[in-house]
Amino acid sequence: GAGVSQTPSNKVTEKGKYVELRCDPISGHTALYWYRQSLGQGPEFLIYFQGTGAADDSGLPNDRFFAVRPEGSVSTLKIQRTERGDSAVYLCASSLRRGSAQYFGPGTRLTVL
Amino acid sequence: GENVEQHPSTLSVQEGDSAVIKCTYSDSASNYFPWYKQELGKGPQLIIDIRSNVGEKKDQRIAVTLNKTAKHFSLHITETQPEDSAVYFCAAREDSSYKLIFGSGTRLLVRP
């Protein structure tokens, strides 16, 4: 079956611009997670959704980052006033329910020039 | 909070040999430990996981062992093949939580 999909696969933007990254979870998965992976590091947690609500956004680095999941399926990670330090691979994962195994998408590589 | 350390950072083995990657965790409340394989340009792929009520789990050439007392767990790959070459990440999670805390990764190279 279809796995987690993310678009775009690559995004290049200029410092100060706004970007949106999209995640389509596995069908039927109620839990959705965003992680960020810097070069040579393991993924780091950003935010977790259970259904439509953000159950924990404690990993978001600052208020320039925001995420939504309005219908409990697709999620969008939004970054305002991008900075060069935001450059990383943004990974989305989904699980059938909280506590189930997490399955990752291919990621979006964000480059801020 | 939880902290996961992983070693070695790089591992080179001859095809057919075994490879072992080790991780330690700090939070005794953690009781779920997945392992992911990440190939270049791709997302992490879940290859095996273990819960703390089990000491060992096998799936074909892959096995994971867990020592709760010492707070460490290991990935064992037998009869390695060139296609096993990738970066492997361990992770830990409290069962009541949802965040995975990842190690820093091990780059495995299987020489043909």
Side-chain angles (χ1 to χ4, degrees):
Chain A
V4 177
S5 62
Q6 293 186 245
T7 54
S9 55
N10 282 283
K11 177 70 176 177
V12 180
T13 191
E14 294 180 342
K15 181 175 178 297
K17 299 290 188 182
Y18 168 83
V19 297
E20 289 190 352
L21 311 179
R22 176 187 167 109
C23 172
D24 274 273
I26 294 171
S27 178
H29 280 198
T30 63
L32 185 147
Y33 317 80
W34 284 97
Y35 291 81
R36 180 166 72 172
Q37 187 175 27
S38 299
L39 193 63
Q41 302 294 318
E44 293 182 322
F45 170 81
L46 294 177
I47 186 170
Y48 153 65
F49 287 89
Q50 182 60 49
T52 60
D56 184 352
D57 64 358
S58 63
L60 295 179
N62 52 59
D63 61 7
R64 295 186 297 105
F65 289 75
F66 188 71
V68 295
R69 194 187 185 200
E71 297 178 357
S73 179
V74 171
S75 176
T76 304
L77 178 66
K78 308 179 181 196
I79 311 174
Q80 298 177 319
R81 304 183 304 280
T82 52
E83 299 178 357
R84 293 193 180 90
D86 299 335
S87 296
V89 175
Y90 289 80
L91 294 164
C92 177
S94 71
S95 64
L96 187 60
R97 64 183 70 84
R98 189 179 95 164
S100 301
Q102 295 183 23
Y103 298 92
F104 282 83
T108 293
R109 180 176 297 279
L110 176 66
T111 303
V112 182
L113 301 177
Chain B
E2 176 63 277
N3 181 55
V4 177
E5 295 191 357
Q6 181 173 349
H7 58 93
S9 57
T10 60
L11 179 60
S12 180
V13 300
Q14 194 70 38
E15 181 177 359
D17 287 350
S18 295
V20 180
I21 302 170
K22 299 181 179 182
C23 290
T24 60
Y25 61 99
S26 60
D27 189 347
S28 57
S30 290
N31 56 10
Y32 172 69
F33 308 93
W35 285 87
Y36 289 86
K37 174 184 180 182
Q38 189 172 29
E39 296 175 305
L40 195 60
K42 297 186 177 181
Q45 174 194 2
L46 179 66
I47 56 173
I48 195 167
D49 57 9
I50 190 168
R51 297 188 184 272
S52 59
N53 58 347
V54 175
E56 181 176 0
K57 184 176 178 181
K58 282 186 178 181
D59 183 3
Q60 300 183 3
R61 298 186 296 109
I62 295 173
V64 57
T65 58
L66 171 66
N67 183 325
K68 285 177 58 179
T69 303
K71 289 192 281 190
H72 67 69
F73 56 112
S74 300
L75 178 72
H76 305 252
I77 306 174
T78 58
E79 301 172 23
T80 53
Q81 301 167 3
E83 51 265 39
D84 294 330
S85 296
V87 179
Y88 291 80
F89 290 97
C90 63
R93 190 195 73 199
E94 289 182 46
D95 203 42
S96 61
S97 180
Y98 36 80
K99 304 179 204 181
L100 292 176
I101 307 300
F102 284 84
S104 54
T106 296
R107 183 173 299 279
L108 174 65
L109 174 64
V110 180
R111 306 186 306 273

